[in-house]
Each structure stands twice: as structure tokens, then as C-alpha cells.
Amino acid sequence: MVREVAGVAYAAVAVFFAVVSALALGRRAHNPTVAVSLAVAMLALSASSFADAVAIVATDETVAAVASLAILPGVGVAMGALVCLGRGVARPQWQPGPSLLALLLVEPVLVTAAAATNPLHLWLYDGDGAAQMTGSAGWGYGPAFVVHSVYCYAMVLGALGFLIYGWTRAPSLFRRQRLVLVVAAVIGSAANVAYLFRGLGDSVDPTPFGFAVACGFLAYALFRRDLLTLSPVARGLIVDQIGDAIVVLSPTG
């Protein structure tokens, strides 16, 4: 019964992420970098949460094993998108270039390949049943999983660094926006840390629920704090779009 309830909760969280992703995309005209980064992060977490739901309710052990492996690529994509979101918040005029986007896709592609071939090498998960794909209850963490986790936490720290920088540098009007984003990133990460280090025992993975709470904070920033429609406009962006001559005076005239 507990597993069925958890599965429904994971599925509900996946839908919540997808809805916030769609709403963020609907507002991309105001701040494309932040909106698209937020949408990609939420959509990737939605896919991971759905895989989590399948993994916990599936009666077929092979299906549950495949779903467990399918959780990881979406997390890698989401972490890269969060870094772009943080940078976009700190520097509203910034846009990621093709080379950076390609670089951010390297880890998700590699972890996808590792997940697809895990029974052959057991780099992501090892332990009872990992090679035979018979469920995930007895699995342990392999070396590639450790590398994946380090990468994700490095991305989270990078995103937090950008968000904190943007918070400290923003005018007072925008500081609550930035603070909400910082709190959201901390809550989502804390839930995953508690699970990885077995702070909650071998219970249901709380990570999607932690990110769901974080997503609630993001939704608050999106609608109550006008995250995408009200943001500092870069001086260079304004100047570049003005066709008239401009005279700038100092405070003394």
C-alpha cells in the first residue's frame, strides 16, 4: 500500500513539474534564458519523477530496474539547466552559447549510455540483481554513480553561487526574487543528500518531493514576484536597441 501511494505521489510531482515547465515557457518572451532554463529543468525532473513512479509501483522486476536506471539522465539535464538559470538570473543579458550547451549535454549522454549498458559493467549500480536486472532493492552505488552525484552537486553549487551573487548584487526591489530561488535550490538538494547518505533510512526517495517543494517556491517567484516579467534590464541591452543619440550627464550636470 505504501509503495502504491508513493507511486501516485511521484506521478503527481511529475505532473506538477510539467505544468510549471509549460508556464515558464509561456513567459519566455520576457526573459528567454531564465524561462527556458527553468522549463528544461522542470521537464527533466518531471521525466525523472515519472521514472521513479514506475520503478516503485511496477510489478515486473525488469521494468522496475529499467525505470530505476532511467531516473539519472533527467537529473543530469536538470542540473545543467539550473546552472544556466542561475547565470541568467545573475546576468540578465547573458545567453548560453552552443559550445556551453554541448558541454552541458556531455554528462547526461554519458550517464544514459552507462545506464543502458549497466548490466555489462555495473558502473552505475552493482549488488544483488543489478546484472540480471531483477529489481533495484539490493542494488549498491557503483563508481559511475559516485561521479554522477559529484557532477550534480557541483552543478548545484555553481547554480547556488550564481544565485547568491545575483541576490547580493541586485537592487532591493529584486532581492526577494533571488532569495526565493536560493531557498528553492537548497531545499531540493537537501532532500537528495538526506537520501544518498541514508539519513532517512531505506525509505522512499524524498528527492522528487524536495524538488517539488522547491518548485513551489519557483512558482511563487514566477507568479507572485514576477520573476520573468520583472527583472533588472541590462544597460548594454537598452543602449544597443536605442537608435537616437544619447547624452549622459553626471550628478553635477
Side-chain angles (χ1 to χ4, degrees):
M1 181 64 180
V2 174
R3 298 179 68 85
E4 286 77 6
V5 172
V8 172
Y10 281 138
V13 167
V15 172
F16 182 40
F17 286 144
V19 169
V20 174
S21 176
L23 293 173
L25 273 182
R27 299 192 172 198
R28 65 185 180 277
H30 302 288
N31 194 328
T33 297
V34 173
V36 173
S37 298
L38 177 59
V40 170
M42 293 298 100
L43 193 60
L45 289 175
S46 176
S48 292
S49 296
F50 181 74
D52 235 330
V54 174
I56 201 169
V57 301
T59 55
D60 186 285
E61 290 189 339
T62 301
V63 172
V66 171
S68 297
L69 289 167
I71 295 170
L72 302 181
V75 176
V77 171
M79 297 305 103
L82 286 178
V83 169
C84 292
L85 185 150
R87 181 68 184 273
V89 168
R91 301 277 188 180
Q93 74 275 22
W94 177 80
Q95 292 183 345
S99 57
L100 176 60
L101 294 176
L103 187 62
L104 290 174
L105 285 175
V106 170
E107 196 277 343
V109 169
L110 290 178
V111 81
T112 300
T117 58
N118 188 72
L120 302 177
H121 47 66
L122 304 180
W123 290 348
L124 279 173
Y125 292 106
D126 54 20
D128 296 339
Q132 297 78 24
M133 297 288 284
T134 54
S136 59
W139 290 4
Y141 301 138
F145 184 91
V146 175
V147 173
H148 169 74
S149 298
V150 170
Y151 169 82
C152 289
Y153 286 122
M155 293 294 100
V156 169
L157 288 175
L160 272 173
F162 284 128
L163 291 173
I164 291 172
Y165 174 82
W167 174 56
T168 58
R169 304 281 293 183
S172 57
L173 177 64
F174 304 104
R175 287 196 173 182
R176 286 191 178 181
Q177 287 181 344
R178 275 61 177 163
L179 184 59
V180 169
L181 295 177
V182 172
V183 171
V186 170
I187 290 174
S189 302
N192 184 249
V193 169
Y195 177 69
L196 288 182
F197 290 94
R198 296 295 187 257
L200 300 176
D202 293 321
S203 58
V204 173
D205 182 2
T207 305
F209 305 119
F211 276 109
V213 174
C215 191
F217 278 88
L218 291 174
Y220 171 78
L222 190 66
F223 300 110
R224 299 293 294 177
R225 292 294 170 186
D226 295 319
L227 173 63
L228 299 179
T229 58
L230 180 64
S231 61
V233 180
R235 176 204 58 79
L237 196 60
I238 297 176
V239 173
D240 288 344
Q241 294 181 2
I242 292 179
D244 298 322
I246 302 173
V247 176
V248 180
L249 300 178
S250 71
T252 59

